[in-house]
Amino acid sequence: MFSTPTAFRSYGQRAIEAAKYIGQGFTVTLDHLNRSPITVQYPYEKIVSSERFRGRIHFEFDKCIACEVRVRVCPINLPVVDWKSMKNIKKKQLISHSIDFGVRIFCGNCVEYRPTNCLSMTEEYELSSYDRHESNYDQTALGRLPLSISQDFSVQIISTNDSSNNVTDRYFENKTVTRSTKEIVKNTD
């Protein structure tokens, strides 16, 4: 006799909760309607990467002491380091060094644990190729300094001058970025 009114009451409470959740979803949707879209026309516009971005590795052959630390700390045993022992001076001499960027996981351990400053990360992230063998970089390719986004004149860096269509400010307001990265974008215009 009392089960029917309590069933209607619990049904009514669940319906009110469902309406509340639907209302919360609509408020999120309506909040996003007021925002203008953030679209970067990729090949022609680029956003400057952060200071600690882990892109392609830059290798300085002259500074390397062939200690093989980067081979030991690599989780996938990726770097290939060939060296020969110099008996007269009791040191190793580096012969060749190569990394396959098709397999690399961009962990940064090789740069973090090096005893000399022979490795560093660059802001270059466009490493795709049509041939798998082109992603295997030797010491010559690793020694090439990449062209910075701010120095590439064929690419338009997203400007912050136009206040009505301020793409970078909208990009940076939703991201946690260092202040100097935002200054780099503003100073390139």
Side-chain angles (χ1 to χ4, degrees), residues 44-154:
Y44 311 109
E45 297 178 347
K46 292 183 184 177
I47 295 176
V48 177
S49 57
S50 66
E51 294 173 10
R52 296 183 53 103
F53 179 75
R54 289 184 251 175
R56 185 181 66 83
I57 291 178
H58 173 66
F59 175 66
E60 297 182 34
F61 189 79
D62 299 335
K63 291 183 179 180
C64 184
I65 58 174
C67 64
E68 295 188 26
V69 169
R70 59 186 158 272
V71 176
R72 284 184 248 130
V73 299
C74 184
I76 56 175
N77 297 328
L78 184 62
V80 177
V81 178
D82 293 331
W83 55 271
K84 66 179 180 179
S85 179
M86 303 291 288
K87 303 253 189 231
N88 54 358
I89 56 175
K90 295 183 181 179
K91 284 189 177 182
K92 297 179 190 176
Q93 181 182 8
L94 185 66
I95 297 172
S96 68
H97 180 271
S98 66
I99 295 177
D100 188 5
F101 281 93
V103 181
R104 184 172 174 241
I105 60 173
F106 297 91
C107 64
N109 287 343
C110 55
V111 175
E112 196 70 31
Y113 295 109
R114 69 197 185 281
T116 61
N117 291 331
C118 63
L119 292 175
S120 61
M121 296 286 190
T122 63
E123 64 182 14
E124 184 178 353
Y125 55 86
E126 297 170 331
L127 302 172
S128 62
S129 63
Y130 289 106
D131 187 15
R132 176 175 284 182
H133 300 291
E134 289 179 11
S135 63
N136 192 0
Y137 284 43
D138 61 348
Q139 69 257 12
T140 308
L142 290 171
R144 176 184 57 84
L145 282 172
L147 183 65
S148 176
I149 293 174
S150 60
Q151 296 170 348
D152 191 1
F153 296 110
S154 65

Side-chain angles (χ1 to χ4, degrees), residues 167-182:
V167 178
T168 50
D169 281 345
R170 285 183 281 140
Y171 177 78
F172 286 121
E173 74 184 9
N174 297 329
K175 307 286 184 205
T176 305
V177 203
T178 58
R179 180 172 171 79
S180 59
T181 305
K182 194 170 181 181

Side-chain angles (χ1 to χ4, degrees), residues 19-29:
K20 183 175 83 171
Y21 293 140
I22 290 172
Q24 288 175 349
F26 277 136
T27 57
V28 170
T29 303

